[in-house]
Amino acid sequence: GLPVVGERPYPPPPPQHPYVCIDDETRIGDTLHISYLDIPPEHQPAEKQFVVRSDGTVNLARIGAIPAANLKFGAFERAVEQAYIKAREFNQITVAVKPGVRFYTVGGEVNGKSRQEYVGQTTVLRAIASCGDFTEYASKRRVVIIRANGEHEVMDCVQARTNPKKYDRQLCPVRSILVPPRLLSSYCSCQTLL
């Protein structure tokens, strides 16, 4: 068991975040660049850039739709190779897949709302700071993270600023961050509305 100091276990367990940042998986909406190797140029498919559709598939030249979403890039490469061989398009083929540019948006009560390019592991606090930080009217305790799969998570950024290692969230897979306004009464007197 754990060593006990007084009546509390020591050390405390690490925080569990529901989302782990996975950069090497395909996602719905991703643009994928597919390179076909080991085949003569005259047999190369013309189209080499594909978007993962909302049903999680990619429509490839000569073979149609194959599943793509939530696969590691290596597994997707093997799936494409096997699909072309199974369809008897090629006896042998090697495929290389690279993701296109990924974006996320930061909106609401930030000083510079914008669409940002996802360039690697970052956190929600860093994303907000890159947009000029919170406005004076921001509700820092109710920041909404909208994940790529459509799920919503509410984050307390005041708490995250006091202990970022424990409470700040990884940005991916995320579609947008929304910083809502505080309640109207907290920054505007009712008399000004009359």
Side-chain angles (χ1 to χ4, degrees), residues 43-116:
H43 295 292
Q44 290 271 339
E47 198 173 353
K48 296 187 179 190
Q49 185 170 307
F50 304 89
V51 175
V52 181
R53 300 183 304 193
S54 61
D55 65 356
T57 63
V58 169
N59 195 25
L60 296 175
R62 301 183 189 154
I63 59 172
I66 68 166
N70 304 319
L71 293 176
K72 292 191 180 291
F73 286 105
F76 180 63
E77 289 169 349
R78 286 187 298 280
V80 171
E81 292 166 358
Q82 291 169 2
Y84 274 110
I85 292 169
K86 185 177 180 182
R88 298 180 189 259
E89 288 293 327
F90 304 108
N91 292 330
Q92 179 181 341
I93 183 171
T94 304
V95 173
V97 178
K98 293 182 182 177
V101 178
R102 292 175 170 171
F103 294 95
Y104 63 91
T105 57
V106 180
E109 294 298 325
V110 290
N111 288 308
K113 303 170 194 61
S114 69
R115 184 173 106 153
Q116 300 283 323

Side-chain angles (χ1 to χ4, degrees), residues 156-169:
D156 183 339
C157 288
V158 172
Q159 188 179 41
R161 280 185 168 172
T162 60
N163 191 344
K165 287 185 180 182
K166 186 173 181 181
Y167 297 110
D168 198 3
R169 298 285 189 264

Side-chain angles (χ1 to χ4, degrees), residues 7-35:
E7 294 185 18
R8 291 186 183 175
Y10 182 82
Q16 298 296 315
H17 295 298
Y19 293 96
V20 176
C21 189
I22 301 171
D23 286 335
D24 65 343
E25 283 188 357
T26 60
R27 296 187 283 232
I28 291 173
D30 274 355
T31 299
L32 304 176
H33 302 283
I34 300 179
S35 300

Side-chain angles (χ1 to χ4, degrees), residues 87-147:
R88 298 180 189 259
E89 288 293 327
F90 304 108
N91 292 330
Q92 179 181 341
I93 183 171
T94 304
V95 173
V97 178
K98 293 182 182 177
V101 178
R102 292 175 170 171
F103 294 95
Y104 63 91
T105 57
V106 180
E109 294 298 325
V110 290
N111 288 308
K113 303 170 194 61
S114 69
R115 184 173 106 153
Q116 300 283 323
E117 183 178 334
Y118 177 77
V119 292
Q121 290 191 6
T122 191
T123 66
V124 171
L125 287 180
R126 286 189 206 134
I128 291 170
S130 74
C131 291
D133 216 348
F134 296 103
T135 67
E136 63 183 299
Y137 306 116
S139 176
K140 299 174 189 171
R141 293 191 180 273
R142 296 183 300 123
V143 173
V144 179
I145 304 165
I146 303 171
R147 299 281 173 188

